[in-house]
Amino acid sequence: MSSERPGAGPASLATGLACPVPFTDTDRVLLGHGSGGTMTADLIARCFLPAFRNEYLARLDDQAVLPAAGGRLAFTTDAYVVTPLFFPGGDIGTLAVNGTVNDLAMAGARPLYLSAAFILEEGFPLGDLHRLVASARAAAERAGVLVVTGDTKVVERGKADGCFVVTSGLGVVEHAAAISSDRARPGDLVVLSGPIAAHGAAIMAARADLELDTPVVSDTAPLHRLVAAMLATGADLRCLRDPTRGGLATALNELADRSGVGIVLDERAIPVEEPVRGLLELLGLDPLYVANEGRLVAVVAARDADRLVARMREHPEGRQACIVGEVVADEDRLVVLETAVGGRRIVDRLAGDQLPRIC
Amino acid sequence: MSSERPGAGPASLATGLACPVPFTDTDRVLLGHGSGGTMTADLIARCFLPAFRNEYLARLDDQAVLPAAGGRLAFTTDAYVVTPLFFPGGDIGTLAVNGTVNDLAMAGARPLYLSAAFILEEGFPLGDLHRLVASARAAAERAGVLVVTGDTKVVERGKADGCFVVTSGLGVVEHAAAISSDRARPGDLVVLSGPIAAHGAAIMAARADLELDTPVVSDTAPLHRLVAAMLATGADLRCLRDPTRGGLATALNELADRSGVGIVLDERAIPVEEPVRGLLELLGLDPLYVANEGRLVAVVAARDADRLVARMREHPEGRQACIVGEVVADEDRLVVLETAVGGRRIVDRLAGDQLPRIC
C-alpha cells in the first residue's frame, strides 16, 4: 500500500533535509498531505525524514529491508490515542516509542526497529506534529532503536481527534529464558520496578487542568535495558509485564489467570509517590488500576528474588524495585490485597473503563 | 504497551473460542472495549482470537515471539482509513491485509507475519467489526500469512470514523536481486501487471451509491506469488511498485525521480477495463491517478521484458500483463504520456488530493 514515501528526490535529500523548512504557527494538516502526492512528499521531507533519518528510511521505499537478525524475533504493535497529546513528562510521540519498546522488552527482546503510522485529522497544527515527531525521535535515540518505515493518512475534520499514532516494533530474543505469562508457580515472588500510577495520574491532571503544588509527571520510559540487566543475573524470571492500561491490578490478574494461580499482594509494600496518591484520592481512583508506562512487574522464583531486586536497584529505571507479593495456589485464580490495616480484599479485573484514552 | 490481550483464561480458550458467541445487531463498541479489562478480553476472545487463531497470538502476550528468519527482513506498516468500510470487491479488512502483504512483496520478500491494530469509534457495530475481521482472516489465509499480534483502542463517539486499521508486516527476503526505486536506467522497459484504476473507481462508485450496469469491483489482491514467479525467471528486475494512492502516475514519477531518469508511456498500451473507464469519465477522473490495490508496475532490463511478461501472464494476478512504456534519459525526470491521438503530455505528480481516503 501507500505509494507514500515519494520523497523529494536526491537533490532535496542532500540539501533540504538537514535543515528543513520549519512549519509556521498557522500551518495545518490538509487532506492533500495524505494523498501520496507532492504534499505528502513535502511532509515526509520536512518532518519525518529529518527526524528519524537512517539508511533504511532514506530509501523511501514502501518497506524497509533490514539485515538478518540472529535469533528469534519479537514483533508487537500498539495504537496510541492518548488525550491530551501533550502531558507532563511526555507526549504521544514519547509514549508510542517507549510503549512499543517495552512490549518487546517484556519478552526479554532487544528492540531494534520501529514503524510509525500516523492518522491525522485535517486541520491538525503541523507545528504540533513536528513537536511530537521530535519527541518520538528523542525517545527512539534514548532507547537505541531506529524508526525504519512509516505511513501517513489524513481524514476529514471531525473524523479523528488530532493525531493517532500506531507503532510496531521488531526485536531479537537473544536469551534462552522462558518468560511467559503462564509460568507463575506457587511460592514465586512478585517484584515491582518502582512506584505505580504516575502515568495515569499525570494524564488525569492534564485533562482536568489541575494546578498541583507538586507536579505529577508521567513515568514513561524504556525498560529494555533494565530487563537485560535482570536477565543477566540468571534469576529464574517466570513472567514479565508492563502494567499499562488497567494498571497493576489487571496485569496481575492476567498472570494469575494464565498461570492458574493466585497472587497475594502486600499493600504496604506497593510504592505510590505522595503527589500521585494525593491526586488519585482527590479523583477517587485506585492506584492499582491506574496505567503505568515505565514500570514492570516480574514474577521470579523465590530463591532469586533478593538478588534480582538488588540488581534492579542499581539501574535508573529500577531504583525503587521491591517485592510486593507472592504467588499462591488458588483454583479461583484470585489476586488478593492484604491491606495496610490488616484486612484482605479481592483485587478484581477492571470491568469497564476507568480511564479512557490513557495511552 | 497495552496490557490488552488478557484473554479469557485457559478454560474459555479451550471451549469458547471454537464457537464464539455471535454479536447481535444491536451490539456496539463501548469505551470499555478499549479498557484493557474484562470487556477487552471478551472482545478478543469472541472476535480476534477465533478469527486469526494461531500459536503465537494464542499466547495472549503483548508481543509475539517468532522463529528466527533465515535472511534479510522486510518490515512495513500502513494505516487504513478507507471510506466506506465495505465496498464492491472487499472491505477495510481485506485491504489492510493485502496492502501490507503487497508492500512486502514489492521488496521481493516472502510475507510471513502481520500485526493488526484497530482504532474503533464508540458505537461502531460489533457485527461490522466481526465481518471485517472475518475478511482480514480470509485475506490472510489466501496470502498465507499469520496475524500474530494486535491491539485495540476505543475513542469516544465523534472522535474517529467507525474503524481504522493499521497493519504492519514482516517478511523474509530470500533472493539476492537488488530491487530498488533508484535502479531504473535508460532503455529499461516498464511492465504493468494488469488493468488499472479499478480500486479507486469501486470506492468512488460505492461512495456515490451509483447504480452501474456493469459493477466496478476493487482489484485488491495479494501479489507476492506473482512477484516470486517474476523473480524466478531471473529477469533483471530493477524496480517494483504497487501503484496505490496517487495511482500509476505517482508511482512512476517516484521511480523517475529516485532513479534520475525519464519515463515515456504509451497510452494505448495501458489497459483500463471498460466499466472503469466509463465511470471515471463520468466522474471526470484520470485513470492514471486512481488507486490500484492488486496491481504492480515493474521496471525491467529490456532484454528480459518479453520473457517476464510471458511468465506473468501464466499467473492469475498477471494475466493481462503488458509493456506500457520505456525508461529514457531525462535530466528533468519527467513522465511523459504518448497519447492515443499521437500527442505528448507530461504526467505530473498529484499535487493535492484527488480521492481522499481511498485506502
Side-chain angles (χ1 to χ4, degrees), chain A residues 120-137:
Chain A
L120 304 173
E121 183 187 8
E122 180 189 15
F124 184 66
L126 280 165
D128 284 357
L129 180 63
H130 199 262
R131 279 170 65 202
L132 65 88
V133 166
S135 299
R137 170 228 189 99

Side-chain angles (χ1 to χ4, degrees), chain A residues 101-109 179 223 227 240-242 296, chain B residues 63:
Chain A
V101 162
N102 289 348
D103 272 351
L104 296 174
M106 293 309 117
I179 301 169
L223 297 171
V227 173
L240 267 181
R241 281 271 166 157
D242 54 338
L296 63 79
Chain B
Q63 73 298 113

Side-chain angles (χ1 to χ4, degrees), chain B residues 2-3 19 73 79 133 141-142 172 258 280 302 320-321:
Chain B
S2 85
S3 47
C19 179
L73 299 171
V133 166
E141 281 183 354
R142 182 177 170 197
V172 61
R258 295 276 295 149
L280 294 177
Q320 298 184 67

Side-chain angles (χ1 to χ4, degrees), chain B residues 214-306:
Chain B
T214 311
V216 170
V217 174
S218 169
D219 53 18
T220 179
L223 297 171
H224 57 300
R225 295 190 186 97
L226 174 62
V227 173
M230 293 165 69
L231 283 166
T233 64
D236 188 357
L237 270 178
R238 313 294 176 100
C239 320
L240 267 183
R241 280 272 167 157
D242 54 338
T244 56
R245 269 190 298 181
L248 184 63
T250 301
L252 291 179
N253 268 284
E254 288 169 26
L255 298 183
D257 199 27
R258 295 276 295 149
S259 294
V261 297
I263 292 175
V264 178
L265 290 175
D266 177 0
E267 185 175 32
R268 290 162 306 181
I270 300 171
V272 185
E273 286 179 340
E274 244 354 283
V276 172
R277 187 186 298 279
L279 175 63
L280 294 177
E281 277 175 8
L282 189 76
L283 298 169
L285 296 173
D286 182 342
L288 288 176
Y289 291 93
V290 174
N292 312 275
E293 289 292 338
R295 296 290 174 257
L296 63 81
V297 60
V299 175
V300 62
R303 64 179 179 283
D304 297 331
D306 285 339

Side-chain angles (χ1 to χ4, degrees), chain B:
Chain B
M1 275 281 336
S2 85
S3 47
E4 117 130 47
R5 274 129 295 187
S12 65
L13 271 175
T15 57
L17 294 186
C19 179
V21 185
F23 298 113
T24 70
D25 287 349
T26 53
D27 284 338
R28 303 277 159 170
V29 170
L30 305 175
L31 283 174
H33 285 118
S35 67
T38 53
M39 289 179 66
T40 308
D42 181 64
L43 181 63
I44 292 164
R46 286 172 69 184
C47 185
F48 298 117
L49 265 184
F52 298 125
R53 183 154 215 173
N54 58 67
E55 61 181 305
Y56 308 108
L57 193 64
R59 297 200 68 80
L60 299 166
D61 283 322
D62 283 342
Q63 73 298 113
V65 175
L66 307 163
R72 289 176 296 156
L73 299 171
F75 184 32
T76 189
T77 194
D78 270 296
Y80 295 85
V81 298
V82 64
T83 181
L85 295 173
F86 299 88
F87 49 81
D91 59 35
I92 194 172
T94 329
L95 212 57
V97 169
N98 286 342
T100 294
V101 162
N102 289 347
D103 272 352
L104 296 174
M106 293 309 116
R110 183 161 60 89
L112 297 172
Y113 306 109
L114 300 189
S115 66
F118 294 82
I119 297 175
L120 303 173
E121 183 187 7
E122 180 188 16
F124 184 66
L126 280 165
D128 284 357
L129 180 64
H130 199 262
R131 279 171 65 204
L132 66 87
V133 166
S135 299
R137 170 231 188 97
E141 281 183 354
R142 182 177 170 197
V145 295
L146 296 177
V147 178
V148 293
T149 189
D151 189 33
T152 311
K153 295 283 158 66
V154 180
V155 299
E156 303 87 343
R157 197 182 288 267
K159 299 297 186 186
D161 194 13
C163 175
F164 301 141
V165 184
V166 179
T167 39
S168 299
L170 191 55
V172 61
V173 181
E174 294 164 315
H175 62 83
I179 301 169
S180 178
S181 53
D182 59 4
R183 283 195 65 232
R185 294 289 171 268
D188 290 348
L189 294 178
V190 180
V191 171
L192 190 65
S193 67
I196 61 168
H199 175 73
I203 296 291
M204 295 309 288
R207 273 189 214 165
D209 214 4
L210 292 178
E211 288 195 19
L212 304 172
D213 293 340
T214 311
V216 170
V217 174
S218 169
D219 53 18
T220 179
L223 297 171
H224 57 300
R225 295 190 186 97
L226 174 62
V227 173
M230 293 165 69
L231 283 166
T233 64
D236 188 357
L237 270 178
R238 313 294 176 100
C239 320
L240 267 183
R241 280 272 167 157
D242 54 338
T244 56
R245 269 190 298 181
L248 184 63
T250 301
L252 291 179
N253 268 284
E254 288 169 26
L255 298 183
D257 199 27
R258 295 276 295 149
S259 294
V261 297
I263 292 175
V264 178
L265 290 175
D266 177 0
E267 185 175 32
R268 290 162 306 181
I270 300 171
V272 185
E273 286 179 340
E274 244 354 283
V276 172
R277 187 186 298 279
L279 175 63
L280 294 177
E281 277 175 8
L282 189 76
L283 298 169
L285 296 173
D286 182 342
L288 288 176
Y289 291 93
V290 174
N292 312 275
E293 289 292 338
R295 296 290 174 257
L296 63 81
V297 60
V299 175
V300 62
R303 64 179 179 283
D304 297 331
D306 285 339
R307 186 163 53 98
L308 182 71
V309 168
R311 179 67 190 90
M312 290 171 73
R313 287 185 177 168
E314 294 168 10
H315 194 281
E317 304 303 340
R319 287 205 201 296
Q320 298 184 67
C322 52
I323 296 169
V324 297
E326 186 180 2
V327 178
V328 297
D330 180 357
E331 284 185 3
D332 295 328
R333 308 173 186 195
L334 295 180
V335 178
V336 172
L337 186 75
E338 295 191 328
T339 65
V341 294
R344 288 172 69 95
R345 70 175 170 91
I346 294 173
V347 178
D348 209 351
R349 273 166 193 263
L350 195 62
D353 200 350
Q354 191 185 27
L355 297 172
R357 299 184 61 187
I358 211 76
C359 60

Side-chain angles (χ1 to χ4, degrees), chain A:
Chain A
M1 274 284 335
S2 84
S3 47
E4 119 131 43
R5 274 128 294 184
S12 65
L13 269 175
T15 56
L17 294 186
C19 181
V21 186
F23 298 112
T24 70
D25 286 348
T26 55
D27 284 338
R28 303 276 160 173
V29 170
L30 304 175
L31 283 175
H33 284 117
S35 67
T38 52
M39 288 179 66
T40 308
D42 180 64
L43 181 63
I44 292 165
R46 287 172 67 183
C47 185
F48 297 118
L49 265 183
F52 298 125
R53 182 154 219 174
N54 57 68
E55 61 181 306
Y56 308 108
L57 193 63
R59 296 199 69 78
L60 298 167
D61 283 323
D62 283 341
Q63 73 297 115
V65 175
L66 307 163
R72 287 177 296 158
L73 299 171
F75 184 32
T76 189
T77 194
D78 270 295
Y80 294 85
V81 298
V82 65
T83 181
L85 295 173
F86 299 89
F87 50 80
D91 59 34
I92 194 172
T94 329
L95 212 57
V97 169
N98 286 342
T100 294
V101 162
N102 289 348
D103 272 351
L104 296 174
M106 293 309 117
R110 184 161 59 90
L112 296 172
Y113 307 110
L114 300 189
S115 66
F118 294 82
I119 298 175
L120 304 173
E121 183 187 8
E122 180 189 15
F124 184 66
L126 280 165
D128 284 357
L129 180 63
H130 199 262
R131 279 170 65 202
L132 65 88
V133 166
S135 299
R137 170 228 189 99
E141 282 183 354
R142 181 177 170 198
V145 295
L146 297 176
V147 178
V148 293
T149 190
D151 189 32
T152 311
K153 294 284 158 61
V154 180
V155 298
E156 304 88 341
R157 198 181 287 267
K159 299 296 186 185
D161 193 13
C163 175
F164 301 140
V165 184
V166 179
T167 40
S168 299
L170 192 55
V172 61
V173 181
E174 294 165 316
H175 61 82
I179 301 169
S180 178
S181 52
D182 60 4
R183 283 195 66 232
R185 293 291 170 269
D188 290 349
L189 294 179
V190 179
V191 171
L192 189 65
S193 68
I196 62 168
H199 175 73
I203 296 290
M204 295 310 289
R207 274 190 212 164
D209 214 4
L210 292 178
E211 289 194 19
L212 303 170
D213 293 339
T214 312
V216 170
V217 175
S218 169
D219 53 18
T220 179
L223 297 171
H224 57 299
R225 295 190 185 99
L226 173 61
V227 173
M230 292 164 70
L231 283 166
T233 64
D236 188 356
L237 270 179
R238 313 293 176 98
C239 320
L240 267 181
R241 281 271 166 157
D242 54 338
T244 54
R245 270 189 298 181
L248 184 63
T250 302
L252 291 179
N253 268 284
E254 287 169 30
L255 298 183
D257 198 27
R258 295 275 295 147
S259 295
V261 297
I263 292 176
V264 177
L265 290 175
D266 176 1
E267 185 174 34
R268 289 160 307 181
I270 300 171
V272 185
E273 286 178 342
E274 244 354 282
V276 172
R277 187 186 298 278
L279 174 63
L280 293 177
E281 276 176 9
L282 189 74
L283 298 168
L285 296 174
D286 182 342
L288 288 177
Y289 290 92
V290 173
N292 311 275
E293 289 291 339
R295 295 290 174 258
L296 63 79
V297 60
V299 174
V300 61
R303 65 178 179 283
D304 297 330
D306 285 338
R307 185 162 54 98
L308 182 72
V309 167
R311 179 67 189 89
M312 289 171 73
R313 287 186 177 167
E314 293 168 10
H315 194 282
E317 304 303 340
R319 287 205 202 295
Q320 297 184 66
C322 52
I323 296 168
V324 296
E326 184 179 2
V327 178
V328 296
D330 179 358
E331 283 185 5
D332 296 328
R333 306 172 186 198
L334 295 179
V335 177
V336 172
L337 185 74
E338 295 190 329
T339 64
V341 295
R344 286 171 72 95
R345 70 174 170 92
I346 293 172
V347 179
D348 210 350
R349 274 166 193 263
L350 196 60
D353 201 348
Q354 190 185 27
L355 297 173
R357 300 183 62 186
I358 211 75
C359 60

